[in-house]
Every structure is written in C-alpha cells, then in structure tokens.
Amino acid sequence: MALIVQKYGGTSVGSVERIQAVAQRVYKTVQAGNSLVVVVSAMGKTTDGLVKLATDISKTPCRREMDMLLSTGEQVTIALLSMALQELGQPAISLTGAQVGIVTEAAHTRARILHIETERMERHLQEGKVLVVAGFQGVSSADELEITTLGRGGSDTSAVALAAALGADFCEIYTDVPGILTTDPRLVPEAQLMAEITCDEMLELASLGAKVLHPRAVEIARNYGVPLVVRSSWTDAPGTWVTSVKPQGRSLVNLELARPVDDVQFDTNQAKIALLRVPDKPGVAARLFGEISHQDVDVDLIIQSIHEGNSNDIAFTVMTPILKKAEAVAAAIAPVLRSQSNPEPEEAEVMIQQEIAKVSISGAGMIGRPGIAAKMFATLAEAGINIQMISTSEVKVSCVVNAKDCDRAVAALRQTFEISTSPSLPQQNPAPSTPPVRGVALDMNQARLAIRQVSDRPGTAGKIFGLLAEHNVSVDMIIQSQRCHIIDGVPTRDIAFTVAKMDAEAAQQVLQSHATEYGWGEVVLDQAIAKVSIVGAGMVGQPGVAAKMFAALAENQINIQMIATSEIKISCVVNAEQGVKALQVIHTAFELAGTEKFVVPA
Ligand code: ADP
Ligand code: ASP
Ligand code: MG
C-alpha cells in the first residue's frame, strides 16, 4: 500500500463531469489499496476571472485582498470533489490550506511554505478518508493567521510540498497534456512526449517558460527527492517522470526557505575570447560558432551583449588547452565579419584573456529570490574582486573573475553561503543516453533593461542587483558588454538583463533614480522581446549545440539580441514578434518533433 499525493489542475476539474471523472480515478486508486491526498486547483479559468474582477475595481489591488479573493477558487473545488467522492461511497474530507496547516511566510500573493503540520492529515488518513486539499494557498504563521497564496500556478507546489512533508511514496500531477513534452504543444503540435527528465533539466525548462510545472514544485521535489510524475487526467498513459536523487535527512522546517545555495564551484582551466564590434544582423553567431564547432571545440559560457549602433560583442569561454584552436577560428573569421559590416568603418576585434577563473554558486533555492545573486556580487565586491562576465540560470550564477582572485572568491562565497567543502545535495549525473537537447521553451513575459556606462569597478553589479532585490525584482540573463568606454578617466561598460514584464517599469524607475548617485547613464527598457531557450543535461561537452541553435535562427532571418548560457541551457533574446517562429524552427532543428500531433483539450 502506498501513500500518494495527486494534484489536478484547472482544466482537469473544469466542470461537474470532469470533477466526477477525477472522483472515479481517486476512488479506483483507493480501491487498489492506496491512501490518498488530493490537491486541486480552482475550476477552469476561475482564477483568471477573479483577477479580472479585482482589476476592474482597482489597478493596483491590495495584495492581502487579492489573496482573500483568489483563495476562494480552490475552496469551491475541494467541496465539490469531496461530495463527488462521497456520492461514490468513498469517505472524504475537504480542507483549506489553513485547516491542513500549510504555514507560509506572510508575503501575500507569493508566499513560500515554511512548514506543514501533518497530525490532522495523518489522523484522517488513519480513518480511511481521502483528503481533498485546496492547492495554491496557506496561512501565515504570524498571530493574525492571514490567508496567503503561493503565486500563480502554485497548486503544483502545494502538492509536492505535501508529498515531502507526509513522506509520500510519490506525487502525481494530473493535467491537460499527456506529460512533459519537448515544447508547448499549443505552439508546436508535433511536440513529443518524454518518458523522463531530470529535476535539474525540468527546473530550467519550468523557469524558462514551460508552464506545465511550477518551478518551485520542481525545486521541492529535487531538495527532498520526491518522486514526481506528470500525467494526463484523461487517460491512463504513464506520463513523464521527473527524476532526482534522494538526499539524506533534509529538515522539513523552513521547507521552501532552507539554504538557497547548495554548492560553490570553480574552474580555473578556462580562457575567454571576445569578438568586439561584430555586425548586428542575423547569422553572425551562427557563423562564428559553426566554424568553431567544425574544429570540434566545445565552448562553455557564451554571452552576447546588447548592441550599440549596429554592432554587437560576443564573448565565450573555452577550456585552456583548446584556446589556440578557438583563437585561430575567431581571428580568421573577424576580418570577414568586418567586411560585411559596412558602411561602418569600425573593425571587429578579437580579444583573448587567459588568466581567468569561473566561480559559481548553485542551488534550486535561489529561484525567485533576487537577493541571492546580489549577495554573491556583494561578497565578491567586499573581497575587492572585479567581475568580468556574469552568466545566470535559475539555479546557478557564474562569474568570470581574474584567475589570481579565484581562491579568495571561493573562500568568501563559501563563508557567505555557509557551504562546507562537500556539496549538500548529491549530484545527478546524466545517463549516457541523455539527448543534448531535451526541450525548448518560450518566455514571452520578459522585458529587457540596459544600463549604459556603468563603471567597471568591483561592487557595481552588487549595487545594481542589490537595489533590484530590495524591490523584490528577480533578474534573469545578466550580461555585461565586453567593450569598455572611458568616461572621465573611468572605464565603463553597459549591463543588460531581463526581468519579468510586470516588474520592468518599476525596475527602470528604481535604477534611473539612482543614476546620479551611482554614476551610471541612461536606463533603457525594451518590452517587445521574447526569450527562447534550449535545455538538456546532454549538451555538456557536446560541441555544436549552440551553433545549431544559432543557425536555425539565422536561416529564418531571426536576429539574436542577447545570448546567455549555462551548462545545461542556452537562451537567446529575439524580437517579440519572432518568438513563436523562433521556438518552432529550433524545435525542428533539433529533430524533436514526433509523428503524433497533440490536441490540447479546451
Ligand atoms: P494545470 O491547470 O493542469 O496546472 P497548466 O495550464 O498550468 O495546467 O499547465 C499545462 C499546460 O502547460 C499545457 O496545456 C501546455 O500548453 C503548457 N506547456 C508549456 N510547455 C509545456 C511542455 N514542455 N510540456 C507540456 N506542456 C507544456
Ligand atoms: N488556481 C491557481 C492559478 O490559476 C493555482 C493553480 O492553478 O495552480 O494560478
Ligand atoms: Mg499549472
């Protein structure tokens, strides 16, 4: 007999018939000898409807009242599902987040779970009842017992957190697609179902726009080793398993606020190559990385900064032993790129730097917590270490620094994030058969900010991202330009990054209002962008993956505005209008399409 947590999303409980179908599945699972906790979302598009009501009354509704309003959606479903189960003769009891004891921090509309009281649930389970729990909501631990919500899509997080707290055998997420597909089937009907995916890969995909799982749910599954499967609530097909390695005895106290950084890593065996002033038009990155991959050179970090005028900078790092080869390719291609960039007389230029090191912090707990990257930058600044390149993913921030600073950087970071020398989470090595690209995601909800003429001194990144963190703005894809402008004798660079669209204007205002104080220039906002990303643990050590992605975009005349990579993902920012097309051509380029077409239920 197993203890199972099942979660049913909005479409899966969208009507009386759907609720009855869910009751049937739950009933069958209990009849098979299992104990069951069922987490449900609000019916259909109820939550969207409630948001609309609120915004019809107020442009900026109070967050506390939003929680009061939005939490009602799930309360309807739990009562109806319990009734449907009782009709089948199955004892069941509905419980709100507060009744269960899902205790969260007080941050309205985006609360994190602190702990879950299990006594009441265990008692009801002992009595042979099915527990039907409202997803997406909790209660704050402060005296007032305020109702909180976890953020849109948060029912997945409720379910996995309950599974972790109860020590359930596994957690099943039932939804309107057959599992996790290579991309969103609404945009690419030929998307293919995967049998499994690692938590690390899914964390990236989820946070890069694959809505099928809430990233925080994946974070909890990874941190507590909860076996997790995503399945269709319409069929009995097995779905997709999200795999993780079970860590030893992680505390359930501060469940979502436990240590955000699990590990500090470094790599001194890297060299940096930058191509400055390459033309800003489709095909340049494709050509450069195409040539490089023909030489079998594997690149690690790639960043392309915002353009000034009509040229771009592209920088990348390679392992030191293959630097000479990569340098030769870059030097050979630079004049060709220059000759194409007329009428500008500017020259493309190759810049090599050998004495560098990459230091990284990693941990699923940094998702949605803007203060963590800022703390890393501040720690390096306090140690007087200048940051040359920054590359971010949802679960990792890497900085390229001077090689001589590496030891100090690592020691300072280990102290700040309280990391002993061995990582606290077991490593999940990809199986040899892992494909280079597992999935492709599109995020249309990002905007790009660029700060001009930021002084190139230790502490600058810390200031910028510290300011944003104070205002609770999460930053993604941070890119510093390679080119230096000397202004009043001070070297300056541009820094660009992406933020959620809804935070963009506030972020711009905050940064602009500190421009004089910190001495940076204009803060430029572009809302019309899309971010398209490929994710796969198998791309590590595989030359040519980036080249293939860039070539697919170039062949379709899609210009790349920014590039940022981490070990298991490559993201490109393109024009918003070309986002869907970019997703489709990349999906095709990596031959991810299947033979079947998916039709998502309405
Ligand atoms: P639920 O209401 O069940 O939580 P969601 O709408 O939150 O469902 O998530 C399911 C949707 O996620 C699918 O209908 C699909 O359009 C979208 N989606 C985006 N990317 C993917 C992907 N890679 N695999 C499967 N579904 C995806
Ligand atoms: N009902 C909430 C939402 O629509 C939570 C969820 O469905 O996961 O965001
Ligand atoms: Mg969802």
Side-chain angles (χ1 to χ4, degrees), residues 124-167:
H124 291 312
L125 287 170
Q126 285 291 331
E127 293 161 1
K129 287 184 183 150
V130 167
L131 300 187
V132 185
V133 180
F136 171 61
Q137 56 175 256
V139 63
S140 80
S141 56
D143 297 343
E144 271 92 11
L145 302 178
E146 290 280 63
I147 293 177
T148 53
T149 65
L150 311 182
R152 295 302 306 270
S155 294
D156 298 335
T157 295
S158 310
V160 181
L162 281 166
L166 289 164

mmCIF file of all heavy atoms in Angstrom, residues 124-167:
data_model
loop_
_atom_site.group_PDB
_atom_site.id
_atom_site.type_symbol
_atom_site.label_atom_id
_atom_site.label_comp_id
_atom_site.label_asym_id
_atom_site.label_seq_id
_atom_site.Cartn_x
_atom_site.Cartn_y
_atom_site.Cartn_z
ATOM 1 N N HIS A 124 -6.871 11.728 9.719
ATOM 2 C CA HIS A 124 -7.933 11.454 8.733
ATOM 3 C C HIS A 124 -7.556 10.286 7.820
ATOM 4 O O HIS A 124 -8.415 9.489 7.437
ATOM 5 C CB HIS A 124 -8.231 12.690 7.895
ATOM 6 C CG HIS A 124 -8.893 13.794 8.660
ATOM 7 N ND1 HIS A 124 -9.985 13.591 9.481
ATOM 8 C CD2 HIS A 124 -8.622 15.126 8.732
ATOM 9 C CE1 HIS A 124 -10.360 14.748 10.019
ATOM 10 N NE2 HIS A 124 -9.535 15.694 9.583
ATOM 11 N N LEU A 125 -6.281 10.210 7.487
ATOM 12 C CA LEU A 125 -5.849 9.088 6.619
ATOM 13 C C LEU A 125 -6.043 7.768 7.360
ATOM 14 O O LEU A 125 -6.514 6.779 6.788
ATOM 15 C CB LEU A 125 -4.387 9.257 6.187
ATOM 16 C CG LEU A 125 -4.112 10.345 5.145
ATOM 17 C CD1 LEU A 125 -2.611 10.579 4.987
ATOM 18 C CD2 LEU A 125 -4.729 9.989 3.783
ATOM 19 N N GLN A 126 -5.714 7.789 8.662
ATOM 20 C CA GLN A 126 -5.915 6.591 9.501
ATOM 21 C C GLN A 126 -7.378 6.167 9.494
ATOM 22 O O GLN A 126 -7.695 4.980 9.515
ATOM 23 C CB GLN A 126 -5.518 6.882 10.966
ATOM 24 C CG GLN A 126 -4.031 6.950 11.226
ATOM 25 C CD GLN A 126 -3.373 5.595 11.090
ATOM 26 O OE1 GLN A 126 -4.018 4.579 11.335
ATOM 27 N NE2 GLN A 126 -2.120 5.559 10.658
ATOM 28 N N GLU A 127 -8.267 7.176 9.442
ATOM 29 C CA GLU A 127 -9.716 6.888 9.451
ATOM 30 C C GLU A 127 -10.199 6.373 8.096
ATOM 31 O O GLU A 127 -11.390 6.127 7.913
ATOM 32 C CB GLU A 127 -10.498 8.169 9.787
ATOM 33 C CG GLU A 127 -10.284 8.684 11.199
ATOM 34 C CD GLU A 127 -10.680 10.171 11.370
ATOM 35 O OE1 GLU A 127 -11.142 10.792 10.384
ATOM 36 O OE2 GLU A 127 -10.487 10.686 12.475
ATOM 37 N N GLY A 128 -9.295 6.277 7.137
ATOM 38 C CA GLY A 128 -9.673 5.751 5.822
ATOM 39 C C GLY A 128 -10.279 6.797 4.902
ATOM 40 O O GLY A 128 -10.930 6.472 3.906
ATOM 41 N N LYS A 129 -10.070 8.080 5.234
ATOM 42 C CA LYS A 129 -10.648 9.128 4.388
ATOM 43 C C LYS A 129 -9.658 9.580 3.323
ATOM 44 O O LYS A 129 -8.442 9.552 3.541
ATOM 45 C CB LYS A 129 -11.014 10.349 5.241
ATOM 46 C CG LYS A 129 -12.233 10.109 6.105
ATOM 47 C CD LYS A 129 -12.605 11.378 6.854
ATOM 48 C CE LYS A 129 -13.786 11.070 7.771
ATOM 49 N NZ LYS A 129 -13.809 11.892 8.972
ATOM 50 N N VAL A 130 -10.241 10.017 2.203
ATOM 51 C CA VAL A 130 -9.415 10.709 1.212
ATOM 52 C C VAL A 130 -9.385 12.181 1.615
ATOM 53 O O VAL A 130 -10.417 12.759 1.941
ATOM 54 C CB VAL A 130 -10.020 10.561 -0.200
ATOM 55 C CG1 VAL A 130 -9.364 11.537 -1.174
ATOM 56 C CG2 VAL A 130 -9.865 9.135 -0.699
ATOM 57 N N LEU A 131 -8.192 12.770 1.638
ATOM 58 C CA LEU A 131 -8.097 14.191 1.969
ATOM 59 C C LEU A 131 -8.123 14.993 0.687
ATOM 60 O O LEU A 131 -7.335 14.733 -0.216
ATOM 61 C CB LEU A 131 -6.781 14.490 2.675
ATOM 62 C CG LEU A 131 -6.530 13.768 3.971
ATOM 63 C CD1 LEU A 131 -5.269 14.301 4.619
ATOM 64 C CD2 LEU A 131 -7.702 13.991 4.890
ATOM 65 N N VAL A 132 -9.019 15.958 0.614
ATOM 66 C CA VAL A 132 -9.063 16.817 -0.567
ATOM 67 C C VAL A 132 -8.622 18.218 -0.130
ATOM 68 O O VAL A 132 -9.320 18.887 0.640
ATOM 69 C CB VAL A 132 -10.477 16.854 -1.173
ATOM 70 C CG1 VAL A 132 -10.459 17.666 -2.463
ATOM 71 C CG2 VAL A 132 -10.987 15.443 -1.444
ATOM 72 N N VAL A 133 -7.436 18.618 -0.573
ATOM 73 C CA VAL A 133 -6.804 19.833 -0.051
ATOM 74 C C VAL A 133 -6.783 20.930 -1.121
ATOM 75 O O VAL A 133 -6.477 20.664 -2.291
ATOM 76 C CB VAL A 133 -5.357 19.525 0.399
ATOM 77 C CG1 VAL A 133 -4.673 20.776 0.947
ATOM 78 C CG2 VAL A 133 -5.337 18.407 1.437
ATOM 79 N N ALA A 134 -7.082 22.152 -0.692
ATOM 80 C CA ALA A 134 -7.037 23.297 -1.606
ATOM 81 C C ALA A 134 -5.578 23.634 -1.931
ATOM 82 O O ALA A 134 -4.779 23.880 -1.031
ATOM 83 C CB ALA A 134 -7.713 24.498 -0.952
ATOM 84 N N GLY A 135 -5.260 23.634 -3.221
ATOM 85 C CA GLY A 135 -3.905 23.987 -3.625
ATOM 86 C C GLY A 135 -3.711 25.493 -3.581
ATOM 87 O O GLY A 135 -4.665 26.250 -3.385
ATOM 88 N N PHE A 136 -2.450 25.927 -3.749
ATOM 89 C CA PHE A 136 -2.144 27.331 -4.035
ATOM 90 C C PHE A 136 -2.255 28.242 -2.813
ATOM 91 O O PHE A 136 -1.926 29.394 -2.883
ATOM 92 C CB PHE A 136 -3.074 27.761 -5.188
ATOM 93 C CG PHE A 136 -3.153 29.190 -5.596
ATOM 94 C CD1 PHE A 136 -2.031 29.875 -6.075
ATOM 95 C CD2 PHE A 136 -4.378 29.868 -5.580
ATOM 96 C CE1 PHE A 136 -2.144 31.192 -6.511
ATOM 97 C CE2 PHE A 136 -4.495 31.176 -6.017
ATOM 98 C CZ PHE A 136 -3.376 31.843 -6.478
ATOM 99 N N GLN A 137 -2.716 27.702 -1.663
ATOM 100 C CA GLN A 137 -2.950 28.588 -0.521
ATOM 101 C C GLN A 137 -2.343 28.064 0.762
ATOM 102 O O GLN A 137 -2.076 26.878 0.917
ATOM 103 C CB GLN A 137 -4.448 28.780 -0.316
ATOM 104 C CG GLN A 137 -5.208 27.479 -0.144
ATOM 105 C CD GLN A 137 -6.688 27.720 0.173
ATOM 106 O OE1 GLN A 137 -7.113 27.569 1.292
ATOM 107 N NE2 GLN A 137 -7.439 28.105 -0.833
ATOM 108 N N GLY A 138 -2.121 28.993 1.693
ATOM 109 C CA GLY A 138 -1.622 28.620 3.007
ATOM 110 C C GLY A 138 -2.086 29.639 4.016
ATOM 111 O O GLY A 138 -2.980 30.444 3.741
ATOM 112 N N VAL A 139 -1.458 29.577 5.186
ATOM 113 C CA VAL A 139 -1.815 30.531 6.222
ATOM 114 C C VAL A 139 -0.505 31.054 6.814
ATOM 115 O O VAL A 139 0.444 30.291 6.988
ATOM 116 C CB VAL A 139 -2.729 29.863 7.271
ATOM 117 C CG1 VAL A 139 -2.031 28.726 7.996
ATOM 118 C CG2 VAL A 139 -3.280 30.866 8.258
ATOM 119 N N SER A 140 -0.462 32.356 7.082
ATOM 120 C CA SER A 140 0.809 32.902 7.576
ATOM 121 C C SER A 140 0.984 32.545 9.045
ATOM 122 O O SER A 140 0.001 32.363 9.777
ATOM 123 C CB SER A 140 0.847 34.408 7.389
ATOM 124 O OG SER A 140 0.120 35.022 8.422
ATOM 125 N N SER A 141 2.212 32.443 9.472
ATOM 126 C CA SER A 141 2.477 31.985 10.827
ATOM 127 C C SER A 141 2.345 33.112 11.847
ATOM 128 O O SER A 141 2.369 32.888 13.038
ATOM 129 C CB SER A 141 3.876 31.387 10.902
ATOM 130 O OG SER A 141 4.797 32.349 10.444
ATOM 131 N N ALA A 142 2.188 34.332 11.336
ATOM 132 C CA ALA A 142 2.058 35.465 12.265
ATOM 133 C C ALA A 142 0.770 35.311 13.087
ATOM 134 O O ALA A 142 -0.078 34.482 12.764
ATOM 135 C CB ALA A 142 2.033 36.754 11.461
ATOM 136 N N ASP A 143 0.618 36.129 14.127
ATOM 137 C CA ASP A 143 -0.526 35.990 15.050
ATOM 138 C C ASP A 143 -1.868 36.021 14.328
ATOM 139 O O ASP A 143 -2.808 35.355 14.704
ATOM 140 C CB ASP A 143 -0.524 37.143 16.069
ATOM 141 C CG ASP A 143 0.721 37.069 16.921
ATOM 142 O OD1 ASP A 143 1.341 35.991 16.925
ATOM 143 O OD2 ASP A 143 1.056 38.091 17.549
ATOM 144 N N GLU A 144 -1.935 36.843 13.277
ATOM 145 C CA GLU A 144 -3.243 37.072 12.645
ATOM 146 C C GLU A 144 -3.761 35.916 11.789
ATOM 147 O O GLU A 144 -4.871 35.945 11.331
ATOM 148 C CB GLU A 144 -3.183 38.327 11.783
ATOM 149 C CG GLU A 144 -3.534 39.601 12.548
ATOM 150 C CD GLU A 144 -2.293 40.252 13.110
ATOM 151 O OE1 GLU A 144 -1.193 39.825 12.719
ATOM 152 O OE2 GLU A 144 -2.434 41.169 13.934
ATOM 153 N N LEU A 145 -2.966 34.930 11.534
ATOM 154 C CA LEU A 145 -3.381 33.794 10.699
ATOM 155 C C LEU A 145 -3.974 34.271 9.372
ATOM 156 O O LEU A 145 -5.126 34.007 9.049
ATOM 157 C CB LEU A 145 -4.393 32.907 11.437
ATOM 158 C CG LEU A 145 -3.918 32.332 12.772
ATOM 159 C CD1 LEU A 145 -5.027 31.511 13.416
ATOM 160 C CD2 LEU A 145 -2.680 31.455 12.577
ATOM 161 N N GLU A 146 -3.194 34.995 8.621
ATOM 162 C CA GLU A 146 -3.646 35.530 7.347
ATOM 163 C C GLU A 146 -3.645 34.452 6.266
ATOM 164 O O GLU A 146 -2.727 33.617 6.207
ATOM 165 C CB GLU A 146 -2.693 36.645 6.897
ATOM 166 C CG GLU A 146 -2.792 37.887 7.727
ATOM 167 C CD GLU A 146 -3.970 38.738 7.336
ATOM 168 O OE1 GLU A 146 -5.118 38.267 7.486
ATOM 169 O OE2 GLU A 146 -3.755 39.860 6.865
ATOM 170 N N ILE A 147 -4.653 34.524 5.369
ATOM 171 C CA ILE A 147 -4.660 33.624 4.218
ATOM 172 C C ILE A 147 -3.626 34.137 3.206
ATOM 173 O O ILE A 147 -3.591 35.325 2.904
ATOM 174 C CB ILE A 147 -6.052 33.576 3.558
ATOM 175 C CG1 ILE A 147 -7.050 32.924 4.518
ATOM 176 C CG2 ILE A 147 -6.002 32.815 2.233
ATOM 177 C CD1 ILE A 147 -8.468 32.901 4.002
ATOM 178 N N THR A 148 -2.799 33.231 2.713
ATOM 179 C CA THR A 148 -1.791 33.624 1.719
ATOM 180 C C THR A 148 -1.948 32.734 0.482
ATOM 181 O O THR A 148 -2.548 31.656 0.556
ATOM 182 C CB THR A 148 -0.369 33.406 2.267
ATOM 183 O OG1 THR A 148 -0.264 32.057 2.725
ATOM 184 C CG2 THR A 148 -0.057 34.355 3.402
ATOM 185 N N THR A 149 -1.416 33.196 -0.652
ATOM 186 C CA THR A 149 -1.312 32.301 -1.812
ATOM 187 C C THR A 149 0.150 32.232 -2.249
ATOM 188 O O THR A 149 0.959 33.086 -1.899
ATOM 189 C CB THR A 149 -2.195 32.738 -3.002
ATOM 190 O OG1 THR A 149 -1.733 33.988 -3.488
ATOM 191 C CG2 THR A 149 -3.658 32.819 -2.621
ATOM 192 N N LEU A 150 0.440 31.181 -3.027
ATOM 193 C CA LEU A 150 1.840 30.866 -3.331
ATOM 194 C C LEU A 150 2.317 31.454 -4.652
ATOM 195 O O LEU A 150 3.459 31.255 -5.033
ATOM 196 C CB LEU A 150 2.022 29.344 -3.396
ATOM 197 C CG LEU A 150 1.448 28.512 -2.240
ATOM 198 C CD1 LEU A 150 1.772 27.043 -2.445
ATOM 199 C CD2 LEU A 150 1.999 28.988 -0.914
ATOM 200 N N GLY A 151 1.431 32.131 -5.374
ATOM 201 C CA GLY A 151 1.805 32.622 -6.714
ATOM 202 C C GLY A 151 1.091 31.767 -7.757
ATOM 203 O O GLY A 151 0.821 30.588 -7.525
ATOM 204 N N ARG A 152 0.802 32.383 -8.928
ATOM 205 C CA ARG A 152 0.030 31.690 -9.971
ATOM 206 C C ARG A 152 0.687 30.363 -10.346
ATOM 207 O O ARG A 152 1.893 30.273 -10.475
ATOM 208 C CB ARG A 152 -0.114 32.584 -11.217
ATOM 209 C CG ARG A 152 -0.912 33.847 -11.026
ATOM 210 C CD ARG A 152 -2.337 33.612 -10.552
ATOM 211 N NE ARG A 152 -3.123 32.697 -11.360
ATOM 212 C CZ ARG A 152 -3.873 33.045 -12.401
ATOM 213 N NH1 ARG A 152 -3.937 34.316 -12.759
ATOM 214 N NH2 ARG A 152 -4.560 32.134 -13.073
ATOM 215 N N GLY A 153 -0.160 29.370 -10.508
ATOM 216 C CA GLY A 153 0.352 28.037 -10.829
ATOM 217 C C GLY A 153 0.845 27.277 -9.606
ATOM 218 O O GLY A 153 1.406 26.180 -9.719
ATOM 219 N N GLY A 154 0.594 27.843 -8.406
ATOM 220 C CA GLY A 154 1.196 27.306 -7.181
ATOM 221 C C GLY A 154 0.615 26.007 -6.642
ATOM 222 O O GLY A 154 1.165 25.441 -5.685
ATOM 223 N N SER A 155 -0.463 25.494 -7.232
ATOM 224 C CA SER A 155 -1.014 24.232 -6.710
ATOM 225 C C SER A 155 -0.030 23.075 -6.866
ATOM 226 O O SER A 155 -0.019 22.154 -6.046
ATOM 227 C CB SER A 155 -2.310 23.867 -7.437
ATOM 228 O OG SER A 155 -3.298 24.799 -7.137
ATOM 229 N N ASP A 156 0.781 23.122 -7.909
ATOM 230 C CA ASP A 156 1.808 22.077 -8.081
ATOM 231 C C ASP A 156 2.735 22.082 -6.856
ATOM 232 O O ASP A 156 3.107 21.032 -6.328
ATOM 233 C CB ASP A 156 2.679 22.360 -9.319
ATOM 234 C CG ASP A 156 1.895 22.364 -10.621
ATOM 235 O OD1 ASP A 156 0.840 21.713 -10.676
ATOM 236 O OD2 ASP A 156 2.349 23.013 -11.583
ATOM 237 N N THR A 157 3.077 23.291 -6.428
ATOM 238 C CA THR A 157 3.983 23.441 -5.282
ATOM 239 C C THR A 157 3.324 22.915 -4.007
ATOM 240 O O THR A 157 3.959 22.220 -3.207
ATOM 241 C CB THR A 157 4.395 24.928 -5.159
ATOM 242 O OG1 THR A 157 5.150 25.253 -6.323
ATOM 243 C CG2 THR A 157 5.230 25.194 -3.925
ATOM 244 N N SER A 158 2.028 23.205 -3.825
ATOM 245 C CA SER A 158 1.314 22.664 -2.651
ATOM 246 C C SER A 158 1.419 21.144 -2.643
ATOM 247 O O SER A 158 1.685 20.525 -1.601
ATOM 248 C CB SER A 158 -0.177 23.013 -2.688
ATOM 249 O OG SER A 158 -0.373 24.374 -2.933
ATOM 250 N N ALA A 159 1.192 20.535 -3.822
ATOM 251 C CA ALA A 159 1.147 19.072 -3.899
ATOM 252 C C ALA A 159 2.502 18.456 -3.554
ATOM 253 O O ALA A 159 2.583 17.533 -2.729
ATOM 254 C CB ALA A 159 0.710 18.637 -5.299
ATOM 255 N N VAL A 160 3.559 18.977 -4.148
ATOM 256 C CA VAL A 160 4.874 18.373 -3.909
ATOM 257 C C VAL A 160 5.310 18.625 -2.459
ATOM 258 O O VAL A 160 5.909 17.757 -1.812
ATOM 259 C CB VAL A 160 5.922 18.881 -4.926
ATOM 260 C CG1 VAL A 160 7.266 18.217 -4.685
ATOM 261 C CG2 VAL A 160 5.460 18.602 -6.357
ATOM 262 N N ALA A 161 4.961 19.798 -1.926
ATOM 263 C CA ALA A 161 5.315 20.094 -0.527
ATOM 264 C C ALA A 161 4.584 19.130 0.412
ATOM 265 O O ALA A 161 5.167 18.623 1.379
ATOM 266 C CB ALA A 161 4.967 21.539 -0.196
ATOM 267 N N LEU A 162 3.307 18.861 0.123
ATOM 268 C CA LEU A 162 2.566 17.899 0.953
ATOM 269 C C LEU A 162 3.209 16.516 0.864
ATOM 270 O O LEU A 162 3.340 15.812 1.869
ATOM 271 C CB LEU A 162 1.097 17.826 0.503
ATOM 272 C CG LEU A 162 0.211 18.981 0.999
ATOM 273 C CD1 LEU A 162 -1.108 19.010 0.246
ATOM 274 C CD2 LEU A 162 -0.057 18.839 2.505
ATOM 275 N N ALA A 163 3.611 16.136 -0.341
ATOM 276 C CA ALA A 163 4.247 14.816 -0.518
ATOM 277 C C ALA A 163 5.546 14.744 0.292
ATOM 278 O O ALA A 163 5.828 13.729 0.943
ATOM 279 C CB ALA A 163 4.521 14.570 -2.003
ATOM 280 N N ALA A 164 6.314 15.847 0.290
ATOM 281 C CA ALA A 164 7.571 15.856 1.056
ATOM 282 C C ALA A 164 7.271 15.764 2.551
ATOM 283 O O ALA A 164 7.877 14.969 3.274
ATOM 284 C CB ALA A 164 8.364 17.124 0.739
ATOM 285 N N ALA A 165 6.298 16.570 3.006
ATOM 286 C CA ALA A 165 6.004 16.619 4.449
ATOM 287 C C ALA A 165 5.453 15.287 4.956
ATOM 288 O O ALA A 165 5.766 14.850 6.059
ATOM 289 C CB ALA A 165 5.014 17.745 4.726
ATOM 290 N N LEU A 166 4.622 14.641 4.145
ATOM 291 C CA LEU A 166 3.998 13.379 4.574
ATOM 292 C C LEU A 166 4.894 12.175 4.286
ATOM 293 O O LEU A 166 4.558 11.050 4.643
ATOM 294 C CB LEU A 166 2.661 13.185 3.836
ATOM 295 C CG LEU A 166 1.522 14.131 4.258
ATOM 296 C CD1 LEU A 166 0.423 14.113 3.209
ATOM 297 C CD2 LEU A 166 0.967 13.735 5.627
ATOM 298 N N GLY A 167 6.004 12.404 3.590
ATOM 299 C CA GLY A 167 6.856 11.282 3.190
ATOM 300 C C GLY A 167 6.105 10.349 2.236
ATOM 301 O O GLY A 167 6.229 9.122 2.292
#
